[in-house]
Amino acid sequence: MTTYHCPQDGTRSPISALTWCCPVCRGPWDLDFTPAPGLTPHVLPGRANSLWRYEEILPLAAPEVSLGEGRTPLVPLTDTVSAKLDYLMPTLSFKDRGAVMLAELARRLNPGRVVADSSGNAGTSIAAYCARAGLPCTVYVPEGTSPKKTEQIRAHGAEVVTVPGGREATALAARAAADEEGVFYASHVFNPYFLHGTKTYVYELWEDLGGRLPDTLVVPVGNGTLLLGAALATAELHALGLIADRPRLVAVQAEAVSPLAEAFRVGAEDLLPAGSGEAAPTLAEGIAIPRPPRARQILAAVRASGGTFLTVPEDEIRDAQRDLAARGFYVETTGVACWAAVRDGAAHRPPGSMVVPLCGAGVKTGMAG
């Protein structure tokens, strides 16, 4: 294993220290890691049919906690838009890509307890993979979290702690627990191993599209873990000489909770001054994050790619969920936001080929009213 480093001030920490954030600025870690050479389309046939087939680009190898995650289908929606069906993962959301990395890391570090915070999907994934690893797990969730999601977390044997308030209050409660001795904070935001799991989303696209990527990757953004994983993957593929050009990154937020889109539109490098500290109500609960800790990195990644931010109102989220269901895809409300932003007739539809992720299954939340 390598070391953590802080992208803001350069502070370093060994992974074994269980230090979940930079002790100087309290910001998220990045990882000192460079992919090994050797990955080409020709070496992949015959390898494991999971995200672990991309062994050269992963900071962990030979996992014991895998549930067969990854290698989800890529299906056309229109002539130019395809959907990657990441809701067909073991726990029914894309978060399995990062959760398996955190659980495998925790298994190797053998902490006394694993804690996580989540509006549902990340917590479910962490609970499932900790069960696979035989690790005790506590998941902090905000009040109002879908009962179907908390039921799934408990089914995997994790303790659920319901926190009054929204995502910000829940994160603060989990971080207080993470400061206790012997605790591994399986944070999909602060721990960069999660990003090295989500980046496999793009490696799968590269493989399935014959060694290329679409013109645009459209990604829902709350804490930005899928977008930052995508940015990491495109940078690695380019550095390895496996793609000539990087795709645009188009980030989608709910109009009701769009702090990153607001900052992007005024040219800010970071979030604008804080408001109430909690998110407004939105159907897209999974991306209702008012103060994402990696905001600077998200904004910089979108700008560097030549991309942009799009926002969608609640009525378009409802309509997009029904539209996808009519096409055979039953997806939760957060997972339809990208389709709402770019489907035929959308006001700011990007040109060229694009892929949208269908991130979570509709059975987790049901149809929007």
Side-chain angles (χ1 to χ4, degrees):
M1 289 181 286
T2 180
T3 59
Y4 295 132
H5 76 267
C6 175
Q8 295 301 313
D9 56 42
T11 300
R12 279 178 157 71
S13 172
I15 278 86
S16 58
L18 299 182
T19 307
W20 63 267
C21 69
C22 172
V24 177
C25 70
R26 301 288 284 182
W29 292 119
D30 280 350
L31 193 65
D32 290 330
F33 174 74
T34 302
L39 179 65
T40 70
H42 307 294
V43 304
L44 294 172
R47 288 191 178 182
N49 192 35
S50 71
L51 63 80
W52 298 95
R53 68 199 278 109
Y54 310 110
E55 58 190 47
E56 292 89 350
I57 57 90
L58 293 174
L60 296 173
E64 293 188 12
V65 300
S66 176
L67 292 168
E69 55 288 329
R71 299 298 292 140
T72 54
L74 183 65
V75 179
L77 288 175
T78 71
D79 290 345
T80 58
V81 183
S82 293
K84 187 154 175 62
L85 310 189
D86 257 25
Y87 69 91
L88 299 180
M89 298 284 265
T91 75
L92 308 182
S93 91
F94 87 95
K95 295 290 177 63
D96 290 356
R97 294 185 183 277
V100 68
M101 299 294 291
L102 294 184
E104 178 63 25
L105 176 62
R107 184 193 66 79
R108 298 181 188 198
L109 297 177
N110 194 30
R113 181 164 62 116
V114 174
V115 301
D117 59 282
S118 168
S119 59
N121 283 338
T124 296
S125 290
I126 296 296
Y129 284 97
C130 281
R132 181 75 165 172
L135 294 167
C137 179
T138 301
V139 180
Y140 292 77
V141 300
E143 61 182 356
T145 298
S146 166
K148 295 180 181 180
K149 293 180 179 179
T150 54
E151 177 185 347
Q152 191 178 2
I153 293 170
R154 290 190 178 96
H156 293 305
E159 177 188 3
V160 175
V161 177
T162 302
V163 179
R167 284 291 286 115
E168 293 293 291
T170 304
L172 289 174
R175 291 167 197 168
D179 283 330
E180 298 174 9
E181 186 176 353
V183 173
F184 178 85
Y185 184 25
S187 172
H188 57 293
V189 183
F190 279 79
N191 194 304
Y193 277 86
F194 196 93
L195 304 182
H196 283 270
T198 61
K199 75 181 181 183
T200 60
Y201 172 90
V202 172
Y203 279 91
E204 290 178 17
L205 292 178
W206 167 79
E207 181 181 359
D208 289 344
L209 293 173
R212 62 180 182 85
L213 290 174
D215 297 315
T216 301
L217 296 172
V218 187
V219 186
V221 174
N223 276 311
T225 54
L226 184 54
L227 183 137
L228 290 173
L232 187 60
T234 58
E236 289 176 352
L237 284 163
H238 190 262
L240 292 167
L242 296 172
I243 57 172
D245 300 300
R246 303 189 202 185
R248 291 183 297 268
L249 298 176
V250 171
V252 178
Q253 297 204 285
E255 197 173 87
V257 187
S258 52
L260 291 159
E262 292 170 10
F264 183 86
R265 285 168 188 154
V266 299
E269 294 182 357
D270 205 341
L271 297 174
L272 302 179
S276 65
E278 288 293 356
T282 175
L283 293 168
E285 62 178 12
I287 52 173
I289 310 296
R291 308 295 299 175
R294 293 188 184 268
R296 291 182 69 90
Q297 290 176 293
I298 296 166
L299 291 164
V302 173
R303 288 194 174 103
S305 76
T308 191
F309 278 80
L310 302 176
T311 59
V312 288
E314 299 300 294
D315 59 340
E316 291 185 17
I317 294 173
R318 289 189 185 90
D319 191 55
Q321 188 186 37
R322 297 188 188 100
D323 181 45
L324 282 173
R327 296 168 184 260
F329 305 101
Y330 188 32
V331 184
E332 67 173 334
T333 44
T334 298
V336 306
C338 290
W339 178 237
V342 303
R343 62 182 175 152
D344 291 340
H348 301 287
R349 179 186 172 94
S353 62
M354 65 192 91
V355 172
V356 299
L358 303 186
C359 295
V363 295
K364 287 174 171 277
T365 56
M367 290 293 287

